[in-house]
Amino acid sequence: MAQMNMIEAIRSAMDVVMDKDPNVVVLGEDVGYFGGVFRCTDGLQRKYGEHRVIDAPIAEGGIIGAAIGMGLNGLRPVAEIQFADYIYPGFDQIVSELAKIRYRSCGEFFSPVTIRTPCGGGIRGGQTHSQSPEGIFTHVSGIKTVMPSNPYDAKGLLIAAIESDDPVVFFEPKRIYNGPFDGDPEKPAVPWTSHPKGEVPEGYYTVPIGEAEVVQQGSEISIVTYGTLVHVATAAAEKMGIDAEVIDVRSLSPLDVTTLADSVKKTGRCLIAHEATRFGGYGAELAATLQKSCFYHLEAPIARVAGWDTPYPHAFEWQYFPGLKRMVAGIERVLETTA
Amino acid sequence: MAQMNMIEAIRSAMDVVMDKDPNVVVLGEDVGYFGGVFRCTDGLQRKYGEHRVIDAPIAEGGIIGAAIGMGLNGLRPVAEIQFADYIYPGFDQIVSELAKIRYRSCGEFFSPVTIRTPCGGGIRGGQTHSQSPEGIFTHVSGIKTVMPSNPYDAKGLLIAAIESDDPVVFFEPKRIYNGPFDGDPEKPAVPWTSHPKGEVPEGYYTVPIGEAEVVQQGSEISIVTYGTLVHVATAAAEKMGIDAEVIDVRSLSPLDVTTLADSVKKTGRCLIAHEATRFGGYGAELAATLQKSCFYHLEAPIARVAGWDTPYPHAFEWQYFPGLKRMVAGIERVLETTA
Amino acid sequence: MANPSRLHIPRPTARPGDEPDFSYLDLSPAGSIDRPSVGARTRDLEFLSAGLVRVLDDDHEAKGPWNPDLDPEKLQIALRWMMLNRVFDQRMWQIQRQGRISFYMEAFGEEAVSIAQGMALRSGDMCFPSYRNQGLYLYRGMNLVDMMCQCLSNTRDMCKGRQLPIMYHFKSGNVFSISGNLATQYPHAVGWAMASAIKGEDHIAASWLGDGSTAEADFHHALTFAAVYQAPVILNVVNNQWAISTFQGTAGGERRPFAARGLGLGIPGIRVDGNDLLAVYAVTVWAADRARRGGGPTLIEHVTYRAGAHSTSDDPSKYRPKDEHLAWPLGDPIDRLKEHLIKEGHWSEKKHAKLEEELKAEVMAAWKEAQQYGTMTEGPWLDPSTMFDDVYADPPQRLESQRRRMLEIHQQNGNGDHS
Amino acid sequence: MANPSRLHIPRPTARPGDEPDFSYLDLSPAGSIDRPSVGARTRDLEFLSAGLVRVLDDDHEAKGPWNPDLDPEKLQIALRWMMLNRVFDQRMWQIQRQGRISFYMEAFGEEAVSIAQGMALRSGDMCFPSYRNQGLYLYRGMNLVDMMCQCLSNTRDMCKGRQLPIMYHFKSGNVFSISGNLATQYPHAVGWAMASAIKGEDHIAASWLGDGSTAEADFHHALTFAAVYQAPVILNVVNNQWAISTFQGTAGGERRPFAARGLGLGIPGIRVDGNDLLAVYAVTVWAADRARRGGGPTLIEHVTYRAGAHSTSDDPSKYRPKDEHLAWPLGDPIDRLKEHLIKEGHWSEKKHAKLEEELKAEVMAAWKEAQQYGTMTEGPWLDPSTMFDDVYADPPQRLESQRRRMLEIHQQNGNGDHS
Ligand SMILES: Cc1ncc(C[n+]2csc(CCOP(=O)(O)OP(=O)(O)O)c2C)c(N)n1
Ligand SMILES: Cc1ncc(C[n+]2csc(CCOP(=O)(O)OP(=O)(O)O)c2C)c(N)n1
Ligand SMILES: [Mg+2]
Ligand SMILES: [Mg+2]
């Protein structure tokens, strides 16, 4: 098996499906000749031509609108939005059209668009290059929302997304493109080669959308999280020397309630963590669902660790980012509470 | 005091502030000569002129973008989006600009735009005239989100919104424009004259943003809701003959956690209800917050009654709308559960 | 103090109580506009956006280089479809007024656009219509009963009760599903056309929206992408002078015709008499031919008039002179084609009256049949649990639980129970 | 099988390894374009969008009707500001390369746009800039130290550490806050100008964006609203040929100049040599005058070249010939004004070298001072709890709780601790 970082794994996913299915096309800003500002599409235009890897005008609404039309004509478009912070100009096409075409035409028409977009902070990008807007997509019926936390899942989930007849918004936590990150920016960067999930098959495989993964088993607390914070959670548990069960949600919608609820019922305690702003975020849905299904097993209230309810401030990103300390403090609170 | 329906109350709010402050301007599709498709701005252009009540091109993004610019130049724009279902083309200007200008300029620049928009179903409008997208706005830091449930609050909250230096997205549940609605469309329509909150002062007053209202006191269960469902909740409680505390959230962000938590701590049981799609909706935030702050008082899991996770279907709106039966069933479930 | 404002406010020439006044319209005489070859350089096509391509003159004669010289039989067929469109609309409007469907929108006065373009395009070309293009569905062969059943949300509704009346879709006829959101179909047409070019096929796409809708972002996105990739697409702006209560000036039509909107991107525009079936047919054939030969997109502005109300929810007498449509200088598309055929000796008042009766009967019969599949007030009803279908191809589990819960709650008292 | 695709793909004339090739550019000789009166009818202004307004010719002489006849002193001042802009950019770029700020963007080669327009506008006019208009902030009097402190996110940072470097704002100088989102400022300028007209004031607004950004919806919204209400606004498209790795053809510039984008709405466009300070100044004065007299919006396309990288995160040698900028036919704006002044006897190489040294010293001194207020790696640091300020005028309680919680957690080990 090969070693890949997340960028390579994502590129490999597109390569594999493009090779397999001539209807798969890629479009987005700077994705063609240049290969994308994060290099995720590097080499694809040379390999598959300018008509399948298309440099688009700078209009996210146009990219998604045109991708929908391509999908209606039998292609499988993979649209890159350069930063998740810039997905909003395409929001109407996603919510009003992409998500609803199948429903309103009773399945006669549909458009299997996958939207890839890098999200999250920790790269000194300031508030317009750091957002995690997944919570506004999970509320929209008709689309699926996915966020991988490692190269293996990234490739498998992306192939599944592209092959899915349902539209998928695929968030890529850019902070972990090059290596897992435990939340401490002072430590030397760690490459994916050091991580078991940096081993990625060269060829075709899928990771099914709709399944959470128990990253590590444990009995004292369930930490339910996704994206970059999966790594912070495991690091925090290790640092504290506790027996935590860490769950990577991966597929935010559809949500694998069973895996999550089974864990929380077992441990009786639950911390939910994400990088996005807390108020009205996706963590609220997780908490609402889990308090309902695990009420009689809970020994403490479900807590959330999340980005503060402010824009992502450039200079204070490490005070904003829910890092090791906040994770530890969150775990402590949940553990300390006695029912 | 005068009797007003919600349309009249909303119009009166704009009239009162326009009269008081020459910087208040109104803009939107069909709001000028015609007075708005729901008549909310009827007569305002005749009274205040074409330069203060402006018919806009059909471009929600342009309306909000231009309104922001007007606000930066000292005006207080009130922008109408004809249906909440059509707010998405303006989403980027709301999220990336309106919500963030004050923050990024440290208060040097701000734009006090109020966005009014009719929401909700129950008028046979199908999926593009029935949506309740409040949950994607409450997640956005920098804007306030309000939804009144009666004429008195509508006028007072709208005046507060227009006068606020913070941007406010003001949702108007169109099903109750003309009268309160208990969820049963077969019953004859009831006018606001039959409801105490249909009594509305002619002149200036405000209802502060950020305060929930206890609509009726009770001890058995707290029903936390807003908009049209406030009326369904009270009707359900009455029908069941139970002693329910019904709380109208009114201001979704900022949220009056104290009033809500005090109630839930008192009753030990909580049902959250809204018309919007359930998954990832605003009710999730309410549930997540309340299970946290009231954990040791809860005798049953917090339940949610909400729109199903589908678009709003034209023919089945009464199967989609969380009406009396769903509310009753929700209350029953919460009451039956024994901790 | 006088109002110091210097803001320009576009104002229609006439409001209720005023005399209708269409002096603002630039009209060219029929036959006066050149017909360049489809291979002409874009810059040599600019004049087409300023003039008005017309074939039928005031004496109902077909004139000039754009005359498509269609057989009388074809024209009779066109007349029939336009009439059917109108008769259908009239009946559905009445049905709505009787409270038997919740909503309706008619194409009154604009029928030539859909019918002429339906005829000019090939069946493999894909249409992305607006809500006033019911004529396209009709022309492409959608059954009247099916259309009515959609409006009724009944057991045979192609939309299974999910959509507002008139939001048809017709996959086998290559007509897309209508959206309630204005202009969103425009970039879809461009993307579809791009895919056609990518695949090396020679199908083209066409889309329609109103004068008011040109202000939306999607109009700009569509034009930009169409120009950049030279997509084989026809972008139609149906300028019926009104967008609910605002006139075309509010959308920016005061200074230059909508046909000129793409010029800055190098997209040629043609301004055509939208009430002249021959002219609309001719310019569409021209634009389609150009697109098929790799010449790229064309924008067509149809100068027409919304003779009816915006929708059944609208009352235009509140914002424009009551009989403004009678003063519309480009007449009525059905009358004009009829008079042309009569003048040419291929039609008569009698035949016309007879056809109209036949069409009315056809529509009436369809309505009778459609009602058997259910109405709003009487069964049979669609199974409401179908509302959970088709949200996804591969649905999340929660939709199944919700379906069960819905059935639990609502099937206690059957379907008619709404509480 | 050959690729059957018929999709047109815009391609730049040269990629890495190729010879630079600017033969696609339409250039008019200096002095050759008429200067119509600001009261001329819009249709009589169309030629301005096709030609290229130039004042300085290849021999550095000022020519023709657009020559603004500025005093030598004014020109020396302009030269000074352009040079300061460049020296400042060069220093900040270096500073970023040393890892002392996180990011930077320079205006290299495009300095004439901001400085000429800064000079041509009145101080009461409101500017809505893009990230390459640092020259506007400089010209309007923003202190170098303040600009550096913003880039450093230090204790004197006007943005209190909240914004990426270069995202300045300058209320007292009437320059708006820069957004990371492309094009969003364009409709703000139009709305601001509408408000000015509503209030009967004679301030105008101006906004700037790049060739690539014209594809965004906000470009369309701004043009539409500006045209409909005849807003007193100048809309600038700075066509520097590139948008990160894509050339201006990807934004639709292959067929017609960007200056023509508003013609279809009746907005006159002027295509100007963006590297000719005199020409940019002259067209801006003209457009501002026209706007102030109620003539409405003007679109100005500045034909220029992004001589540097897109940003410090970019490496243009990956997608365009390495020294392409040396082949740019419109030269360098600083060189050209310098040569003009020398030719006219108002400047010399020696003075120029001296001024450059002075400016470098000024910038160096500012940098020394700025660092005293803190750097990324060394204190003093801003109080992180200020990050909860200004989210709202009237903040919700939860922000206060979050502020307390943040302090609890992060102040245990002081500010430098990041975990
Ligand atoms: C995005 C969006 N905004 C607003 C509306 C409400 N609306 C429906 S039709 C209409 C007027 C459209 O006018 P025009 O484009 O000229 O088309 P016409 O009705 O004249 O055919 C408006 C404002 C909508 N459906 N979608
Ligand atoms: C809405 C949005 N989409 C994408 C980006 C990423 N981005 C930043 S600059 C840029 C290129 C802009 O090119 P152009 O408008 O020509 O301006 P220039 O940089 O050449 O001055 C892109 C794509 C962004 N900042 N905002
Ligand atoms: Mg119209
Ligand atoms: Mg550029």
Side-chain angles (χ1 to χ4, degrees), chain C residues 158-202:
Chain C
M158 65 182 83
C159 294
K160 295 195 184 146
R162 294 172 196 161
Q163 287 284 87
L164 211 56
I166 74 156
M167 307 254 166
Y168 317 109
H169 55 91
F170 189 22
K171 170 95 179 185
S172 62
N174 280 330
V175 195
F176 188 53
S177 142
I178 289 175
S179 179
N181 304 66
L182 296 171
T184 46
Q185 71 277 17
Y186 237 50
H188 302 166
V190 174
W192 195 98
M194 288 172 68
S196 178
I198 289 171
K199 295 192 281 183
E201 296 169 353
D202 75 346

Side-chain angles (χ1 to χ4, degrees), chain B residues 294-316:
Chain B
C294 310
F295 185 76
Y296 300 102
H297 300 79
L298 281 173
E299 289 165 45
I302 298 173
R304 285 181 283 169
V305 163
W308 309 121
D309 293 335
T310 75
Y312 216 116
H314 174 254
F316 308 122

Side-chain angles (χ1 to χ4, degrees), chain B residues 227-251:
Chain B
T228 306
L229 295 201
V230 169
H231 306 282
V232 179
T234 47
E238 194 189 316
K239 184 175 171 179
M240 296 171 75
I242 57 160
D243 187 30
E245 183 140 310
V246 176
I247 299 183
D248 181 355
V249 180
R250 297 198 295 201
S251 165

Side-chain angles (χ1 to χ4, degrees), chain A residues 88 91-92 96 100 103 127 138-139 141 277 279-281 285 291-292 295-296 300 302 304 309-311 337-338, chain B residues 88 91-92 100 103 127 138-139 141 277 279-281 285 291-292 295-296 300-302 304 309-311 337-338:
Chain A
Y88 310 117
F91 197 61
D92 185 48
S96 304
K100 301 209 170 80
Y103 191 72
Q127 56 112 344
T138 49
H139 187 37
S141 307
T277 291
F279 194 79
E285 178 59 41
Q291 66 83 29
K292 184 89 194 321
F295 185 76
Y296 300 101
I302 298 173
R304 284 180 284 169
D309 293 334
T310 75
T337 348
T338 38
Chain B
Y88 310 117
F91 198 61
D92 185 49
K100 302 210 170 79
Y103 191 71
Q127 56 112 344
T138 49
H139 187 38
S141 307
T277 290
F279 194 78
E285 178 59 42
Q291 66 83 28
K292 184 88 192 326
F295 185 76
Y296 300 102
I302 298 173
R304 285 181 283 169
D309 293 335
T310 75
T337 351
T338 38

Side-chain angles (χ1 to χ4, degrees), chain C residues 271-297:
Chain C
R271 189 162 168 265
V272 67
D273 176 346
N275 289 10
D276 176 345
L277 180 122
L278 296 175
V280 174
Y281 178 87
V283 300
T284 308
V285 166
W286 186 92
D289 193 18
R290 190 168 169 276
R292 247 182 273 281
R293 293 186 194 200

Side-chain angles (χ1 to χ4, degrees), chain C residues 211 240 242-243:
Chain C
D211 47 310
N240 62 6
W242 290 93

Side-chain angles (χ1 to χ4, degrees), chain C residues 142-328:
Chain C
M142 181 171 269
N143 191 311
L144 285 181
V145 175
D146 285 337
M147 293 178 76
M148 288 169 168
C149 289
Q150 194 283 324
C151 292
L152 281 162
S153 285
N154 68 13
T155 55
R156 192 169 138 177
D157 173 11
M158 65 182 83
C159 294
K160 295 195 184 146
R162 294 172 196 161
Q163 287 284 87
L164 211 56
I166 74 156
M167 307 254 166
Y168 317 109
H169 55 91
F170 189 22
K171 170 95 179 185
S172 62
N174 280 330
V175 195
F176 188 53
S177 142
I178 289 175
S179 179
N181 304 66
L182 296 171
T184 46
Q185 71 277 17
Y186 237 50
H188 302 166
V190 174
W192 195 98
M194 288 172 68
S196 178
I198 289 171
K199 295 192 281 183
E201 296 169 353
D202 75 346
H203 304 309
I204 69 167
S207 191
W208 289 260
L209 50 62
D211 47 310
S213 304
T214 59
E216 291 284 8
D218 285 322
F219 179 75
H220 179 62
H221 297 147
L223 264 66
T224 304
F225 279 64
V228 167
Y229 304 108
Q230 293 290 287
V233 66
I234 300 178
L235 298 168
N236 297 285
V237 175
V238 183
N239 178 2
N240 62 6
Q241 314 303 314
W242 290 93
I244 310 185
S245 75
T246 61
F247 82 119
Q248 51 93 29
T250 308
E254 283 189 311
R255 278 164 210 85
R256 286 288 295 275
F258 291 90
R261 285 297 172 82
L263 296 183
L265 278 155
I267 300 178
I270 311 181
R271 189 162 168 265
V272 67
D273 176 346
N275 289 10
D276 176 345
L277 180 122
L278 296 175
V280 174
Y281 178 87
V283 300
T284 308
V285 166
W286 186 92
D289 193 18
R290 190 168 169 276
R292 247 182 273 281
R293 293 186 194 200
T298 304
L299 184 81
I300 300 177
E301 174 186 356
H302 304 262
V303 180
T304 182
Y305 185 82
R306 195 195 77 210
H310 172 71
S311 73
T312 48
S313 315
D314 179 45
D315 173 8
S317 72
K318 289 232 169 82
Y319 52 78
R320 66 183 191 186
K322 223 180 170 78
D323 289 330
E324 199 182 55
H325 81 275
L326 300 178
W328 175 245

Side-chain angles (χ1 to χ4, degrees), chain A residues 29 60 82 86, chain D residues 131-132 180 182 210-213 240 242-243 310:
Chain A
E29 297 158 17
E60 293 74 13
Q82 204 162 78
Y86 304 140
Chain D
Y131 47 71
R132 259 185 243 292
L182 296 171
D211 46 311
S213 303
N240 62 7
W242 290 93
H310 172 71

